[in-house]
Amino acid sequence: MNVQVKKVYRNYYLNIISALFKKLGLPQLIDHLVPVDPQCQTRVSDAVQAIIYNMFDGRQALVHVERWAQEIDLEKLIRPGLHPSWLNDDALARHLDRLYEAGIHNVISTCLIHIYRKEGLSLRAFHADTTDKTVYGAYESVSSEALRITHGYNRHHRWQKQIGFGLIGNEDGIPFYGDVHDGNLPDKTWNPEVLSHVHEQLKQAKMEDEWIYVADSAAMTKDTLAQTKAANAFLITRGPSSLRIVKRALAEADSPHIPWSDPFTLAERNGATYRVWETSSTYEGHPVRLIVVESSALDQRKGKTLEKERTKEAELLREEQAHWERHPFSCREDAEQALASLKTSLRPRFHQVKAAVEEIVRPKKRRGRPKKGAEPEMETRYLLRLDVEFDQNAWEQARRKASRFVLVTTVPEEWKGQQMDAQEILKLYKGQISVEMNFAFLKDPFFTDEIYVKKPERVAVLGYLFLLALAIYRVFQRRVRQFITPEHPLKGPGGRKLTRPTGQAIFQLFQYVNVVLLELPDGRIQRSLDRSLTPEQRRILQGLGLDESIYV
């Protein structure tokens, strides 16, 4: 029997992403939203899948896609009959333009709503934040409504050409709303605007129940509070330290009679411990709850600032000591007057300073060599002596104060039959890490490297496809984590036990899965794995409701 090896495909985890994409029904939905001329060889969903799988393969989006398509099992990943040459640069560019003309924001929003329905995801609380992404091209557009790619300061205060990403997702980090916006749009403007958009999106999905909007301190504005109420939502945000009601709450928290809660933790192990105390106030006519939080884990930046302040203070006190030891006084009155002035001016935070006038009697200095046998003439001088000692109690108190912050919320104390106490509000706020991890995906060069397109409209479309890829990645990660538990961990690369594996850690397990394309004597084509799947690989596929058929 003469069987020939026609091709070997290194498909590894792309088949899983492809199977998930199809199980969610996204190809049909995209083609429904953006219909293409029947005479065209490719569909919009073909281009979208090719670009997204290209990202997951660690490639620069839209760079040599046609050549890359020849190296993958295209008919298995996307659809039978699809030829790599059909995914050339011109075809992909036309599909990007069609997506833009169809309203790329609405297309992706509809896809995200569809994912939430399919997965039965919670709409109880959403976490919101923005980030920026650097771009380098010279982009030109004839449309005044196109994405404005402008220079601005990024999160690290560097001047760069950039676009902005806005994200709102649930506690698992799965985006419910996303946008690609102008590169210099401030968060204080974005927050109230996006609240109205999310409200419309919820109405479109016929999900008009109350919900919670969690955001960082830029959301603490009059407009955001008003728009939160109009969107049938409640707000949880961090109060800026410059705000009067925040200053008042922090000052009151120093009082000895404040009934702080018992220490508690939110993490499973090795996590910070917290104490909370709650008060209330009003801001711009809106009643708010203020929750003062004290954490055992001092913020890294605040810790560095305190350490610098302590070091600088110690240096200044040493210089002060040396100065007064070099400059004695001739009369006690002058020394006493200088001492009083010194005590008024010296107000150290982290040191205790005891200053006193010390009388010394010493030989009087004369010019020339003294006469032989002559008794030295004595003089009395008055020195200011400074005894400096590090104040451990003051240092610990300063660190404790620096580890405090205030959460501002409009969530009622009881909501949907659940007690929303200070601890529960803090737990919801700490979920902000989910959206911050999404930004790590959007900026990871493996998934989303430099953007090589010519028009801002195509930059916008590509940005939205990044968001759709992120949603698929998060859904994949969530599904796997549902059946990986501390009792039944996953054996990862190097034999590590994984209880909450990331998508990338799971991808690594499928790194060496290859598909061999065999040509049988009768001309039929048959696919076969080059080796048997490992128990861990089979466990993941079974947990996702898949099997070897996604490869063969």
Side-chain angles (χ1 to χ4, degrees):
M1 185 175 181
N2 187 17
V3 178
Q4 293 185 348
V5 176
K6 190 174 182 182
K7 193 96 175 179
V8 177
Y9 291 118
R10 186 180 60 90
N11 280 7
Y12 46 105
Y13 56 82
L14 288 184
N15 292 66
I16 302 176
I17 298 299
S18 167
L20 180 58
F21 198 90
K22 291 169 183 174
K23 269 197 163 191
L24 290 170
L26 292 175
Q28 297 90 332
L29 178 60
I30 290 169
D31 287 335
H32 172 72
L33 295 169
V34 194
V36 180
D37 189 334
Q39 295 181 348
C40 187
Q41 291 176 311
T42 54
R43 308 163 187 167
V44 174
S45 64
D46 297 337
V48 169
Q49 287 182 86
I51 293 169
I52 287 178
Y53 302 157
N54 188 253
M55 294 177 198
F56 277 108
D57 202 16
R59 307 262 307 184
Q60 289 178 324
L62 296 179
V63 177
H64 304 305
V65 175
E66 182 182 352
R67 186 190 306 168
W68 165 81
Q70 295 172 357
E71 301 168 0
I72 63 169
D73 196 353
L74 200 61
E75 292 193 347
K76 192 69 179 175
L77 288 174
I78 299 181
R79 64 178 174 88
L82 188 64
H83 196 275
S85 63
W86 298 352
L87 297 174
N88 55 61
D89 291 349
D90 291 338
L92 292 175
R94 284 195 297 270
H95 284 307
L96 290 180
D97 292 340
R98 289 186 181 106
L99 281 162
Y100 186 82
E101 291 162 6
I104 183 60
H105 178 81
N106 292 332
V107 171
I108 299 302
S109 293
T110 304
C111 289
L112 296 179
I113 292 171
H114 180 77
I115 290 171
Y116 263 72
R117 281 176 171 160
K118 276 275 190 180
E119 295 294 295
L121 298 173
S122 169
L123 299 168
R124 173 173 174 261
F126 287 121
H127 298 269
D129 206 352
T130 65
T131 191
D132 47 66
K133 186 169 180 66
T134 306
V135 292
Y136 300 97
Y139 305 99
E140 296 180 3
S141 174
V142 295
S143 172
S144 60
E145 298 178 359
L147 176 70
R148 290 178 59 213
I149 301 171
T150 58
H151 281 87
Y153 286 102
N154 68 2
R155 295 298 190 273
H156 303 290
H157 307 289
R158 293 184 186 135
W159 185 252
Q160 62 180 19
K161 187 183 287 188
Q162 61 189 21
I163 59 174
F165 281 107
L167 268 182
I168 293 180
N170 70 354
E171 294 163 1
D172 289 312
I174 300 174
F176 177 74
Y177 173 94
D179 63 31
V180 182
H181 54 251
D182 296 347
N184 56 3
L185 181 69
D187 285 3
K188 288 185 177 181
T189 304
W190 180 81
N191 275 294
E193 287 180 359
V194 81
L195 274 160
S196 62
H197 295 324
V198 174
H199 188 216
E200 288 301 317
Q201 194 156 307
L202 285 165
K203 287 199 296 185
Q204 177 188 339
K206 297 181 180 177
M207 309 169 183
E208 297 187 64
D209 200 3
E210 291 179 334
W211 54 289
I212 295 173
Y213 183 76
V214 187
D216 283 338
S217 57
M220 191 60 197
T221 65
K222 179 181 178 181
D223 291 341
T224 303
L225 281 165
Q227 194 57 55
T228 303
K229 190 173 182 179
N232 199 27
F234 300 103
L235 177 67
I236 298 176
T237 185
R238 185 164 178 159
S241 56
S242 58
L243 217 59
R244 187 178 301 171
I245 58 173
V246 171
K247 288 180 179 178
R248 192 181 304 131
L250 287 171
E252 194 175 345
D254 281 334
S255 303
H257 66 274
I258 291 299
W260 287 93
S261 71
D262 293 330
F264 62 89
T265 61
L266 298 177
E268 293 179 4
R269 60 178 183 176
N270 300 329
T273 58
Y274 300 94
R275 293 195 308 158
V276 292
W277 168 69
E278 182 176 338
T279 184
S280 61
S281 185
T282 58
Y283 180 74
E284 298 289 355
H286 297 272
V288 293
R289 296 165 61 191
L290 302 174
I291 297 165
V292 183
V293 182
E294 183 180 288
S295 170
S296 63
L298 183 65
D299 179 85
Q300 194 173 7
R301 282 186 303 173
K302 289 183 178 178
K304 286 183 178 179
T305 301
L306 277 179
E307 198 64 54
K308 283 181 182 178
E309 192 175 338
R310 182 178 75 164
T311 303
K312 186 176 180 180
E313 184 178 278
E315 289 176 358
L316 289 174
L317 289 173
R318 281 196 295 270
E319 289 174 5
E320 199 76 29
Q321 267 182 317
H323 170 78
W324 292 114
E325 287 176 3
R326 289 196 305 268
H327 298 83
F329 292 88
S330 299
C331 70
R332 178 175 288 275
E333 285 185 6
D334 289 345
E336 295 286 356
Q337 190 175 352
L339 176 63
S341 177
L342 181 64
K343 286 182 176 179
T344 304
S345 61
L346 277 183
R347 294 184 180 179
R349 286 187 67 190
F350 310 120
H351 296 82
Q352 290 181 346
V353 180
K354 295 178 182 177
V357 175
E358 181 181 324
E359 181 181 306
I360 58 170
V361 178
R362 65 184 187 185
K364 190 174 183 180
K365 292 181 179 180
R366 293 283 187 183
R367 286 188 178 183
R369 180 179 298 177
K371 294 180 180 180
K372 189 175 182 180
E375 289 290 330
E377 187 179 350
M378 306 302 289
E379 66 177 357
T380 302
R381 289 287 185 266
Y382 301 91
L383 286 175
L384 294 189
R385 290 287 188 191
L386 273 64
D387 183 15
V388 179
E389 185 179 345
F390 177 64
D391 190 341
Q392 186 66 37
N393 290 334
W395 172 248
E396 293 298 334
Q397 186 178 4
R399 285 177 59 85
R400 190 165 56 250
K401 282 186 178 182
S403 67
R404 290 176 184 171
F405 59 92
V406 177
L407 297 180
V408 183
T409 182
T410 59
V411 177
E413 294 181 1
E414 185 175 342
W415 182 59
K416 294 187 176 182
Q418 180 183 356
Q419 287 297 317
M420 303 298 290
D421 57 13
Q423 186 170 335
E424 184 63 24
I425 298 298
L426 175 61
K427 184 178 178 181
L428 281 171
Y429 179 75
K430 283 294 179 181
Q432 276 293 95
I433 187 67
S434 63
V435 73
E436 290 166 6
M437 292 298 290
N438 283 340
F439 293 153
F441 176 96
L442 290 174
K443 293 190 173 187
D444 189 337
F446 183 85
F447 295 116
T448 59
D449 209 344
E450 296 174 6
I451 297 173
Y452 293 103
V453 288
K454 295 180 179 179
K455 300 195 304 187
E457 291 87 350
R458 293 175 186 171
V459 173
V461 173
L462 200 55
Y464 277 103
L465 293 184
F466 288 166
L467 297 179
L468 183 58
L470 168 64
I472 302 299
Y473 177 84
R474 284 298 190 185
V475 168
F476 165 70
Q477 182 175 274
R478 175 181 177 271
R479 284 193 178 190
V480 173
R481 285 180 174 180
Q482 286 178 326
F483 59 85
I484 302 298
T485 63
E487 296 76 23
H488 300 92
L490 186 69
K491 190 176 180 181
R496 291 183 301 127
K497 289 184 178 180
L498 306 175
T499 56
R500 283 181 59 81
T502 63
Q504 283 177 297
I506 303 162
F507 290 164
Q508 288 180 27
L509 291 174
F510 290 85
Q511 191 170 0
Y512 300 107
V513 176
N514 299 315
V515 175
V516 181
L517 214 63
L518 301 172
E519 186 175 358
L520 304 179
D522 59 3
R524 288 185 297 117
I525 300 298
Q526 181 177 308
R527 288 174 173 80
S528 175
L529 291 173
D530 67 338
R531 71 193 74 182
S532 298
L533 295 177
T534 66
E536 292 296 80
Q537 290 169 340
R538 291 183 184 278
R539 181 187 175 193
I540 290 170
L541 291 180
Q542 288 170 3
L544 293 170
L546 306 173
D547 55 34
E548 286 186 16
S549 63
I550 66 170
Y551 292 103
V552 299

